Amino acid sequence: MTDPWVALAADTDPGEQMGALRRAHEVFTSAGRLERPVRTVVGESWLRSARAHVSPDGAPVVEFGADELGPYREAHPLARAMPVIRELMGAYATDGEHLLAVCDAHGRLLWVEGHAAARRRAGAMNFVEGARWAESVAGTNAPGTAIAVDRPVQVFAAEHFLRPVQQWTCAAAPLHDPHTGRVLGAVDITGGDRLAHPHSLAFVQAVARAAESQLALLAPAVVDGGSVRLSALGRDEALLVAGDRRIRLSRRHSEILVALARRPEGLSGDELLIELYEDESVPPVTLRAELSRLRRLLGPDLLHSRPYRLGVPVDADFDTVARRLGSGAVAAALGAYAGPLLPGSRAPAVVRLRHRIADELRAALIARGDPGLLADWAYSPWGGDDLPVWRALAGAAPAERRAALLARVRGLDAEQGG
């Protein structure tokens, strides 16, 4: 496999893989042990699902009744993208006996459309409009996991944490506000084994990009003078600037602010606990105490509860990097990158976001092949041992510098056992 987010390579036998995954799923749910052929993204999701106490035999809950669902989705930002999503996916879903689904950032399904027979079968497992398919309540599934990791992902058969869902395959991609970079929800294609192909993930990614482009056209950026600035790149303690207040946050408060800045719709106490603590034995009262201290520091206008969320828009430096990368402004993205996100933090949400930002930025630099930009990364405190970047720099640099750079590459290769 060259793409860890794709469930099966094109030449893999789905039947053989399905049997192996079912055995691995039974081992995990009975003994808590991860075994091959479980992909890393799936294994990490299973661990989060278990920590959230999701039952493998459970079913998602329908949170919105018909009276609530209509007004909520009409007012949702993604409603404006639905014409484009339907145009690109509608016929594909109906003709292929699949379903297209769009959820909000909480994992609640707002639209489920497609083949009539597939909709009836999916209804048996509550894959219906108004049901919540967030990873914390439905376990590993494409829309819920795509939101949790903020990456497009494909989930095949017994990779699903819930046994009733293991007859399905799905691929989903997160949908972002084109101006802030914040996750608005996800678009998903769900069906049978025919979706167990790399093309289905590429397709849903393309649909997500088209939907975000449509949102950018329909909703120009608005400058909000009431926003606050959060700086968390390259520092273990984030800095929050709100008006004339400059607040240096503790490491734990920094982690909380990063998690909430990425999820402006808010997080429940249980969800925030999973995002912040590696140790699943940490009691909820520990987190509540930290949040109480943080509310006293920030004030009730900045930190709300039920769910926990920020009361004003937050302009975070890591979102700036992501927005610039998304628009292809690689040099500007590198200019905004002050270093790894909260480098000393081990909070799961921070670690995931830290790796994603760094990996996407360095991949863009390598693809661009600009020796100046590559050198800026390679000679930075965080890039000194980055062998792929040094290799790219050696290949892109002028001939007179190449010998010294190749020597550096050979040294790093020897140190890293390459």
Side-chain angles (χ1 to χ4, degrees):
M1 288 295 297
T2 58
D3 187 344
W5 305 95
V6 172
L8 298 179
D11 58 351
T12 302
D13 185 318
E16 291 182 6
Q17 190 78 346
M18 190 179 302
L21 285 168
R22 281 180 177 153
R23 290 189 292 273
H25 184 271
E26 292 306 313
V27 169
F28 180 78
T29 54
S30 61
R33 189 172 68 251
L34 288 169
E35 295 186 344
R36 296 184 67 184
V38 179
R39 292 179 290 149
T40 299
V41 62
V42 172
E44 291 175 349
S45 177
W46 284 3
L47 289 168
R48 292 193 298 271
S49 302
R51 288 182 63 193
H53 306 291
V54 177
S55 169
D57 296 306
V61 176
V62 177
E63 292 191 350
F64 280 149
D67 293 343
E68 299 171 289
L69 177 63
Y72 178 82
R73 68 183 184 182
E74 286 175 14
H76 198 277
L78 291 178
R80 292 171 294 183
M82 282 307 297
V84 168
I85 293 173
R86 289 191 181 103
E87 181 180 354
L88 295 173
M89 297 182 70
Y92 177 82
T94 301
D95 295 346
E97 301 184 9
H98 308 316
L99 298 174
L100 77 86
V102 174
C103 68
D104 68 5
H106 290 285
R108 293 179 294 221
L109 299 179
L110 303 185
W111 293 272
V112 179
E113 302 174 1
H115 193 270
R119 290 190 68 178
R120 287 194 295 272
R121 289 193 297 115
M125 61 180 186
N126 270 359
F127 194 82
V128 296
E129 294 172 346
R132 189 173 180 217
W133 279 72
E135 208 180 59
S136 58
V137 295
T140 307
N141 68 92
T145 301
I147 290 171
V149 300
D150 196 10
R151 288 287 299 267
V153 63
Q154 188 179 58
V155 179
F156 167 68
E159 291 183 331
H160 288 94
F161 193 76
L162 299 184
R163 291 189 181 95
V165 190
Q166 292 180 351
Q167 60 183 309
W168 299 84
T169 292
C170 46
L175 293 163
H176 302 88
D177 183 302
H179 303 299
T180 68
R182 296 190 177 103
V183 174
L184 297 175
V187 59
D188 167 82
I189 186 78
T190 288
D193 291 349
R194 282 180 292 173
L195 286 178
H197 191 282
H199 290 168
S200 66
L201 185 61
F203 174 59
V204 82
Q205 286 179 270
V207 172
R209 286 195 295 269
E212 291 169 351
S213 296
Q214 179 72 359
L215 291 177
L217 290 172
L218 295 176
V222 176
V223 178
D224 188 340
S227 65
V228 300
R229 176 73 179 169
L230 178 66
S231 299
L233 292 174
R235 55 172 74 221
D236 283 321
E237 296 181 341
L239 178 67
L240 187 75
V241 177
D244 57 357
R245 299 176 64 199
R246 294 173 61 87
I247 306 168
R248 188 173 297 278
L249 303 164
S250 69
R251 178 174 294 184
R252 182 60 74 192
H253 289 170
S254 300
E255 293 166 345
I256 292 171
L257 262 292
V258 167
L260 294 180
R262 292 296 297 164
R263 299 288 294 275
E265 75 280 1
L267 293 164
S268 68
D270 288 342
E271 289 173 330
L272 196 51
L273 200 67
I274 292 169
E275 295 285 88
L276 295 176
Y277 293 96
E278 288 183 297
D279 183 0
E280 62 186 68
S281 66
V282 174
V285 67
T286 300
L287 177 59
R288 287 198 294 270
E290 289 287 0
L291 287 162
S292 294
R293 286 190 284 270
L294 181 56
R295 186 178 289 109
R296 288 195 297 271
L297 178 66
L298 301 183
D301 292 336
L302 285 183
L303 181 59
H304 297 177
S305 58
R306 297 184 181 179
Y308 294 111
R309 63 198 187 281
L310 298 174
V312 297
V314 172
D315 183 16
D317 56 359
F318 47 86
D319 280 337
T320 299
V321 173
R323 286 197 303 273
R324 292 177 179 179
L325 274 178
S327 66
V330 179
L334 181 61
Y337 187 78
L341 176 69
L342 300 179
S345 172
R346 298 177 64 182
V350 174
V351 171
R352 289 197 304 272
L353 183 57
R354 179 195 305 144
H355 289 316
R356 183 175 69 81
I357 294 170
D359 289 349
E360 291 182 358
L361 180 53
R362 66 200 290 273
L365 292 171
I366 291 171
R368 176 67 61 86
D370 183 298
L373 297 180
L374 288 166
D376 285 346
W377 181 279
Y379 289 104
S380 69
W382 55 87
D385 296 325
D386 194 329
L387 181 55
V389 170
W390 280 95
R391 281 181 174 147
L393 177 58
E400 62 270 18
R401 294 184 53 205
R402 200 160 296 153
L405 292 170
L406 287 172
R408 175 65 172 161
V409 168
R410 288 191 293 272
L412 286 174
D413 199 39
E415 291 172 12
Q416 298 176 17

